[in-house]
Amino acid sequence: MNLEAALRPYLDQFNDEMDKYLVKRELKPEELYKAIRHLPITGGGKRLRPIVAILAAQCVGGDSKKVMPYGVALEILHNFTLIHDDIMDECDTRRGIESVHKKWGIPMGILAGDTMFSMVFEILDQVEIDDKTFRSVSLDVAKLAREVCEGQYWDMFFESQKKIEELQYYHMIERKTATFFEIAMKNGAELGGAEPQQVKKLAECGRLLGLAFQVWDDYLGVTGKAEETGKPARSDILQGKKTLVYVSTHTKLDPFDRRQFVDLYKKDDKTEADIDAIVKFMEKSGGLEYTRSRAREFSSFAKATLAELPETAAKRLLLILCDFASNRPK
Amino acid sequence: MNLEAALRPYLDQFNDEMDKYLVKRELKPEELYKAIRHLPITGGGKRLRPIVAILAAQCVGGDSKKVMPYGVALEILHNFTLIHDDIMDECDTRRGIESVHKKWGIPMGILAGDTMFSMVFEILDQVEIDDKTFRSVSLDVAKLAREVCEGQYWDMFFESQKKIEELQYYHMIERKTATFFEIAMKNGAELGGAEPQQVKKLAECGRLLGLAFQVWDDYLGVTGKAEETGKPARSDILQGKKTLVYVSTHTKLDPFDRRQFVDLYKKDDKTEADIDAIVKFMEKSGGLEYTRSRAREFSSFAKATLAELPETAAKRLLLILCDFASNRPK
């Protein structure tokens, strides 16, 4: 089945809902909201977090319409973190277009992100849920946002560290990526009226799916092409990011190669030849292949959590999405 | 009455509550939370927003203890905006100490602020209120945060504009400052169990008090000393901020003087002599005096909103605070 075609109706409905909050409203100052629309509307994006929230609701017989504004809140939260990450990581492009701070300057990038973060909780209020559910969902989203910040801290901190243990790496991506998918599917399931046991399974699916996506992202950071990923090729390497490819290559290399590898990786101005040599170490050591297989493993673990759910179209899509997480070209 | 002595018991109780959330908890990564504590704990601050929320609750017979965690949420929100403002405005000092980004770098400043913003909604959940009130308070706080961002946008935008109308100026400070005090007193009154009419009056008091504080802040920006304000003397002028002193001086000067004044004010590297000349224009035109009298006027309007409330110790303190807003040395 073609995943994109299957998701198209969801995406169209979701993008309409996004427009309701970000485009079809009079929002002033105009320039501020133009900067806010830049990444989530002009740039687009895969809308993965809202999609998994919607599918989680449908898996348990819930109504996708009810989850739409919740999905908008998540997508705006996600885009806010990307805008601020791009400032912190000094990334000039995102989704194939200029990053917000590159186009409008750092102050506007900061401010656009902050405004979007405020909007998250305003939009949560628009979800048709009782006050008790609103309170628990708000709390989940606030905690999730804090975890993303903590994950981003570790991600930046690791850049200055030579040796990162695989467990430290997972600690970081749990916070930066996995919790986001976990909460998306947890809240999606809750909004869909799931039983506690189902909520637990779907939340776990989200967490594993998030891990698969992030580890595969690390893999793509080495193998992906700029026109596919929307980011400059090998930007993770250029920036010295401590991805799973780095971590596992570091572990697998013999001391002599490791030293060369570490020295190259920490260089500030890497040449094309440096990057090629780094990639060779990653291939030769088996670090790249290890990363690929870990991503695939997370995908299959994610699929396993869905075993007891009734067979529905939404579940089929979620299963495909789990495979896609560690197979996608971008 | 000595305001500070009268407020001391409130401040002590409030600072204990702040410590509960920011100091006496194991929070990791340590360095991130160290940066978070820098401004609200090491720097301190006047705690005006929590104080007015607490007093509003007490004015209607409410319990100050219930309002404490709400006040912490507000104070953390306020400090987050200051940290990000300092990056945007390139301010190196705040409350007499280094600003967060000056000490830890811009990425950490951004991240500390974002983490604090997340904490706001987690702490709101700790307030002992029913779910319906939680929902309306959360929504108020989210909207308020967005208004502060919009106000900051105008504040930055005005820097590049020569002529700002007084009404545009009020539009900006309503968003940047007044709404914050308005919501603090509105929610404080609600948590205290106020009647709708009382909520309205206390909210209005907050708005006017916020205006008084901001306009007086503009006045202090010209007349205040660094050791009193915690900011470099005349930093508003150095930075070309469009304060009410600027706006009213611009209106009052004759065309010839106005041109000189505008040219001096927009210079990037102002000398001491430039600043002295600017201050002279502000004095001679009556712009400085006008600002002072507007602040005093807002104070007296704020006091008038309290007329119908029963005579309590909390009301007396609020009245003194209204006077203090346009009288304080810092």
Side-chain angles (χ1 to χ4, degrees):
Chain A
M1 198 200 306
N2 179 334
L3 182 67
E4 213 185 312
L7 291 179
R8 182 49 45 205
Y10 293 92
L11 285 169
D12 288 345
Q13 210 189 334
F14 178 75
N15 288 333
D16 282 350
E17 190 80 13
M18 282 283 279
D19 286 354
K20 231 169 79 182
Y21 290 96
L22 287 182
V23 182
K24 292 174 182 160
R25 264 170 94 186
E26 208 195 342
L27 290 164
K28 279 183 178 178
E30 273 170 36
E31 198 61 19
L32 173 61
Y33 287 95
K34 218 163 138 180
I36 286 172
R37 282 180 208 111
H38 181 68
L39 193 59
I41 304 292
T42 311
K46 294 188 284 292
R47 316 295 194 202
L48 287 170
R49 290 154 187 81
I51 290 288
V52 299
I54 293 163
L55 292 176
Q58 287 196 324
C59 270
V60 295
D63 180 7
S64 67
K65 216 175 143 238
K66 192 173 162 188
V67 192
M68 288 291 165
Y70 172 75
V72 172
L74 283 195
E75 188 65 12
I76 291 180
L77 177 66
H78 173 54
N79 277 271
F80 135 65
T81 66
L82 296 179
I83 293 172
H84 281 193
D85 281 1
D86 283 344
I87 303 175
M88 296 184 242
D89 296 341
E90 297 177 15
C91 285
D92 290 348
T93 47
R94 167 78 69 176
R95 295 177 183 156
I97 57 176
E98 272 182 311
S99 53
V100 174
H101 75 277
K102 172 76 182 161
K103 198 171 158 85
W104 278 275
I106 288 178
M108 188 71 127
I110 294 176
L111 204 55
D114 292 346
T115 312
M116 291 163 87
F117 197 1
S118 316
M119 293 177 92
V120 168
F121 293 91
E122 284 182 73
I123 295 170
L124 283 183
D125 179 63
Q126 297 294 309
V127 184
E128 284 176 28
I129 38 176
D130 60 54
D131 297 332
K132 187 166 178 262
T133 312
F134 173 83
R135 189 168 187 157
S136 77
V137 167
S138 287
L139 185 58
D140 280 344
V141 172
K143 281 184 177 169
L144 143 67
R146 185 144 70 97
E147 283 206 20
V148 172
C149 293
E150 292 173 358
Q152 169 69 5
Y153 172 85
W154 290 122
D155 198 9
M156 293 195 299
F157 176 72
F158 288 171
E159 277 179 46
S160 62
Q161 306 295 304
K162 258 188 261 181
K163 170 129 183 78
I164 302 297
E165 301 291 341
E166 196 168 340
L167 273 179
Q168 290 178 287
Y169 166 82
Y170 288 126
H171 180 89
M172 182 267 284
I173 67 165
E174 287 266 2
R175 271 145 200 80
K176 209 178 156 170
T177 311
T179 304
F180 214 136
F181 284 86
E182 179 181 343
I183 295 299
M185 290 188 69
K186 171 180 184 278
N187 290 162
E190 286 166 343
L191 296 182
E195 299 296 322
Q197 194 52 31
Q198 293 177 317
V199 171
K200 221 178 137 188
K201 287 281 181 193
L202 285 162
E204 181 63 7
C205 176
R207 197 180 71 90
L208 292 161
L209 190 57
L211 292 170
F213 267 111
Q214 185 57 57
V215 171
W216 188 254
D217 213 55
D218 287 3
Y219 178 77
L220 286 180
V222 178
T223 62
K225 291 177 183 64
E227 57 275 25
E228 285 172 350
T229 62
K231 283 186 283 191
R234 300 168 171 185
S235 61
D236 284 346
I237 300 178
L238 263 172
Q239 229 183 298
K241 282 275 175 201
K242 296 304 177 328
T243 66
L244 186 57
V245 191
Y246 175 88
V247 170
S248 53
T249 300
H250 188 279
T251 308
K252 288 172 191 292
L253 286 175
D254 63 53
F256 181 76
D257 281 353
R258 183 185 298 141
R259 185 168 197 153
Q260 277 193 287
F261 173 69
V262 167
D263 285 345
L264 282 170
Y265 208 82
K266 74 178 179 205
K267 272 179 73 173
D268 272 336
D269 298 307
K270 298 182 185 82
T271 64
E272 273 299 309
D274 292 337
I275 295 179
D276 288 341
I278 287 168
V279 173
K280 268 225 174 81
F281 278 123
M282 289 169 161
E283 286 168 346
K284 176 174 105 167
S285 64
L288 189 62
E289 180 51 33
Y290 178 79
T291 303
R292 180 185 147 99
S293 67
R294 288 313 302 249
R296 294 279 160 90
E297 201 177 23
F298 284 126
S299 278
S300 67
F301 289 160
K303 283 159 75 177
T305 63
L306 303 175
E308 284 158 39
L309 284 170
E311 300 302 321
T312 57
K315 177 176 165 176
R316 271 199 303 284
L317 279 174
L318 262 185
L319 288 168
I320 298 171
L321 202 58
C322 289
D323 279 327
F324 171 75
S326 55
N327 243 317
R328 68 205 157 88
K330 60 172 175 173
Chain B
M1 199 198 306
N2 180 333
L3 183 67
E4 214 186 309
L7 290 179
R8 182 50 45 206
Y10 293 92
L11 285 169
D12 289 343
Q13 209 189 335
F14 178 74
N15 287 333
D16 282 349
E17 189 80 14
M18 281 284 278
D19 285 354
K20 230 168 82 181
Y21 291 98
L22 287 182
V23 182
K24 292 175 182 159
R25 266 170 91 186
E26 208 196 345
L27 290 163
K28 281 184 177 179
E30 271 170 37
E31 198 62 18
L32 173 61
Y33 286 95
K34 218 163 138 182
I36 286 172
R37 280 179 211 114
H38 181 69
L39 193 58
I41 303 292
T42 312
K46 293 187 286 291
R47 317 294 194 202
L48 288 171
R49 291 154 185 82
I51 290 288
V52 299
I54 293 163
L55 292 177
Q58 287 196 324
C59 271
V60 296
D63 179 7
S64 67
K65 215 175 144 235
K66 193 173 161 188
V67 191
M68 288 291 165
Y70 172 75
V72 173
L74 283 195
E75 188 65 11
I76 292 180
L77 177 66
H78 173 54
N79 277 273
F80 135 66
T81 67
L82 295 180
I83 294 172
H84 280 193
D85 281 2
D86 283 344
I87 304 175
M88 295 185 242
D89 296 340
E90 297 176 16
C91 285
D92 290 347
T93 46
R94 165 79 68 178
R95 295 176 182 157
I97 57 176
E98 273 182 311
S99 53
V100 175
H101 75 278
K102 172 75 182 163
K103 197 171 160 85
W104 278 275
I106 289 178
M108 188 69 127
I110 294 175
L111 205 56
D114 292 347
T115 312
M116 290 162 89
F117 198 0
S118 315
M119 293 176 93
V120 168
F121 293 91
E122 286 182 72
I123 295 170
L124 283 183
D125 179 62
Q126 298 293 310
V127 185
E128 283 175 30
I129 38 175
D130 61 55
D131 297 333
K132 186 163 178 268
T133 312
F134 173 83
R135 189 169 189 157
S136 78
V137 167
S138 288
L139 185 59
D140 279 344
V141 171
K143 282 185 175 169
L144 143 68
R146 184 142 71 96
E147 283 206 20
V148 172
C149 292
E150 292 173 359
Q152 169 68 3
Y153 173 85
W154 290 121
D155 199 9
M156 293 195 299
F157 176 72
F158 288 171
E159 278 179 44
S160 62
Q161 307 294 303
K162 254 186 263 180
K163 171 133 182 75
I164 303 297
E165 301 291 342
E166 197 169 338
L167 273 179
Q168 290 178 287
Y169 166 82
Y170 289 126
H171 180 90
M172 182 266 283
I173 66 165
E174 287 265 3
R175 273 147 197 78
K176 209 177 155 169
T177 311
T179 305
F180 213 136
F181 284 86
E182 180 182 342
I183 296 298
M185 290 188 70
K186 173 180 183 280
N187 290 162
E190 286 167 344
L191 296 182
E195 299 297 320
Q197 193 53 27
Q198 293 177 317
V199 172
K200 222 178 135 186
K201 287 283 182 190
L202 285 162
E204 181 63 6
C205 176
R207 195 180 72 89
L208 292 160
L209 191 56
L211 292 171
F213 268 112
Q214 185 57 57
V215 171
W216 189 254
D217 212 55
D218 286 4
Y219 178 77
L220 285 180
V222 178
T223 61
K225 292 178 182 63
E227 57 277 25
E228 285 172 348
T229 64
K231 284 185 284 194
R234 299 167 171 186
S235 61
D236 284 346
I237 299 177
L238 263 174
Q239 227 182 301
K241 282 276 174 199
K242 294 306 175 332
T243 66
L244 186 56
V245 191
Y246 175 88
V247 169
S248 53
T249 300
H250 187 279
T251 309
K252 289 172 190 293
L253 287 174
D254 65 53
F256 180 76
D257 281 351
R258 182 185 298 142
R259 185 168 197 153
Q260 277 192 284
F261 173 68
V262 167
D263 286 344
L264 282 170
Y265 208 82
K266 75 179 178 203
K267 273 179 71 174
D268 273 336
D269 298 307
K270 298 183 184 82
T271 63
E272 274 298 311
D274 292 337
I275 295 179
D276 287 341
I278 287 169
V279 173
K280 270 226 172 78
F281 278 124
M282 290 170 161
E283 287 168 346
K284 175 174 103 168
S285 65
L288 189 62
E289 180 51 32
Y290 178 79
T291 303
R292 179 187 149 98
S293 67
R294 288 314 303 250
R296 295 280 161 91
E297 201 177 24
F298 284 126
S299 278
S300 67
F301 289 161
K303 283 159 74 176
T305 63
L306 303 175
E308 284 158 39
L309 284 170
E311 300 304 321
T312 57
K315 177 175 166 177
R316 270 197 305 282
L317 279 174
L318 263 184
L319 288 169
I320 298 171
L321 202 58
C322 289
D323 279 327
F324 171 75
S326 54
N327 244 316
R328 68 205 157 89
K330 59 173 177 174

